[in-house]
Amino acid sequence: RTELKKHFRVCAKRELAELGFERKFEIPTLMILDGHTHGVISTNGVDDIREYGEKALTHWLGMQSLIRGLEDKYEGEALKNQAEPRIV
């Protein structure tokens, strides 16, 4: 648990001194993660549920698809740029 808190920089105010980092998010926080890539889909899960209600899962799946598509596009471009010879 402590390592997850440190990784995502999420903790209760009373834990700040003990954990020794500047937090990004307070507790409670609902972060939505991609189970395959372990990337963050949303750091505002509670707000997403308030806004989208029962359609929140559909929203997160759409975000996951968009994020993966962008990652594929830019990783592919990065690999392509590495392979291309450059004249300097």
Side-chain angles (χ1 to χ4, degrees), residues 1-85:
R1 272 175 66 154
T2 299
E3 291 305 314
L4 283 173
K5 289 178 183 183
K6 287 181 180 179
H7 178 76
F8 291 109
R9 296 171 60 188
V10 177
C11 69
K13 190 179 283 187
R14 61 186 165 89
E15 298 175 296
L16 280 173
E18 177 186 331
L19 294 172
F21 62 83
E22 187 175 328
R23 69 181 173 174
K24 285 186 176 181
F25 308 101
E26 297 180 17
I27 289 181
T29 294
L30 177 60
M31 298 182 85
I32 310 304
L33 306 176
D34 185 318
H36 180 71
T37 67
H38 304 135
V40 176
I41 294 172
S42 175
T43 58
N44 298 309
V46 174
D47 292 338
D48 291 345
I49 290 170
R50 286 185 184 130
E51 182 175 346
Y52 298 104
E54 62 187 42
K55 296 181 181 178
L57 178 59
T58 302
H59 170 71
W60 295 325
L61 291 171
M63 293 296 296
Q64 178 186 48
S65 178
L66 176 66
I67 291 166
R68 285 186 182 180
L70 290 170
E71 288 172 344
D72 290 345
K73 176 182 178 180
Y74 290 106
E75 285 175 5
E77 285 184 16
L79 291 174
K80 179 182 159 188
N81 289 336
Q82 284 179 337
E84 291 178 0

